[in-house]
Amino acid sequence: MQKFVIHGGKRLEGDITVQGAKNSALPILSAAMLCDGESILENCPELSDVYAACQILTHSGCRCRMENHTVTIQAETIQNAEIPENLMQEMRSSIIFLGAMLGRTGECISGYPGGCELGSRPIDLHLQAFQKMGVKIQEENGILFCTTPNGLHGAKIHLQFPSVGATENIMLAAVLADGETIISNAAREPEIFDLANYLKKCGAKITGAGESTIFIEGVKKLHGCTYRIMPDRIVTATWLAAAAATGGTIRLLQADTGSLEGILDVFEQMHCSCSHTKKTICFSANKPLKAIRCLKTMPYPGFPTDAQAIVMAVLCQVKGTSLIEETIFENRFRHTDALMRMGADIQIAGRAAIVHGVKKLHGATVSATDLRGGAAMLIAGLSAEGETVITELSHIDRGYDKPEKILANIGADIRRR
Ligand code: UD1
């Protein structure tokens, strides 16, 4: 089993080039399945989730090759509309292949994603939307059998909650469906906008992506294209948090500052200094940090749930009391046990975490509980006194492309063993 061994307390200083966004690469890989020509996706991060997505494409008969952060997909040879159960379990976001398979082949067989480390993650909004679009769904022993006896057609769909996954799945099913689909109360995350831009480059007719109402006019065919995946805003937040926790000064290159408003604002409230151009962030934490009165996770453009654990790791050592409210997932505080083992003072009350800043965290052996929880442990370990060992790295490897190399380059003492 691999682990990170970190000797904390080193101030981070230097440049990092931000990797491509996992949460954009995965839906776009799935969208490539809808195209008749070849798609070349640049800036794809090398992550276990991306490999799993490539395996789903290969299993369905597409040709898929990854080299130097570029994935080339040829989907004309598609013949199998099944998402293998093991990949469904390995990566919950396999569910976004459902919409693409329905759009491309009119059917799909897929495992039913169960709960996960963040709590129950239902897909009722996805399935209700598909049914409105003409999909018949039968569930047997936890397997979903989806067919479209009369073809897939557009529909007016109002989402009860602006679910990112459901918005993506509907878009994927709608681009080749018959007629117009209108999604109201759609998710507005930047990754939705990126998916729409890729699909439009392939010939899809979409307007309103990035806003609350998205209009999609189905077309007969999509062709492939060359497309560059947007920078990862959560990885950006992670490196900012690592610098903040160690009193560091870093420059982030190839970032997408337009998608970071809610995040940069929080670091500024903590008294970090951030100046940025469109693609570069100059960040410094050379003053004592300030606690945050109330930080609430919200759908975009609010503060992202994915950055909650990461910012909590910084606040653990900030004088004063910070309050964090998690409104998106029911069970997203599992990382707090590890942080407390490292000396943090955190109280959990339902969906709120009260963080009383301590002077210093100390090293400990901890297990990554989930992807972003693991990232929080990395940040805590970088700033703690002594040695921190993090196990269960498979969680971290789902979302971070060689983090130990990136951090070692800017002065961290971290090794993968
Ligand atoms: C969520 C995040 C996304 C993040 C991703 C990975 C939000 C709004 N979404 O996206 O930014 O990148 O996790 O961590 O912050 N829900 C239902 N029924 C459904 C679908 C969702 O009840 O069919 C509920 C979920 O239980 C959850 C909320 O809606 O409480 C958010 O779900 P959703 O946006 O779909 O989650 P992801 O797409 O995984």
Side-chain angles (χ1 to χ4, degrees), residues 98 102 106-109 127-139 143-153:
L98 207 64
L102 284 166
E107 55 186 35
C108 184
I109 302 173
L127 301 184
Q128 281 161 18
F130 289 148
Q131 281 166 332
K132 276 197 151 182
M133 297 174 77
V135 180
K136 294 270 168 289
I137 302 170
Q138 282 186 309
E139 191 189 323
I143 305 288
L144 295 166
F145 294 87
C146 305
T147 52
T148 49
N150 302 310
L152 202 58
H153 55 76

Side-chain angles (χ1 to χ4, degrees), residues 23 92 118 120-126 161-166 189 233 299 305-306 328-329 332:
N23 290 341
R92 189 203 179 269
L118 308 183
S120 93
R121 291 179 81 171
I123 54 163
D124 53 320
L125 302 176
H126 305 232
F161 179 88
S163 154
V164 175
E189 267 67 1
R233 62 197 169 99
T305 175
D306 277 353
I328 308 292
F329 291 112
R332 207 166 193 180

Side-chain angles (χ1 to χ4, degrees), residues 94-116:
S94 309
I95 195 69
I96 42 163
F97 278 84
L98 207 64
M101 280 187 183
L102 284 166
R104 183 67 200 235
T105 68
E107 55 186 35
C108 184
I109 302 173
S110 144
Y112 200 102
C116 76

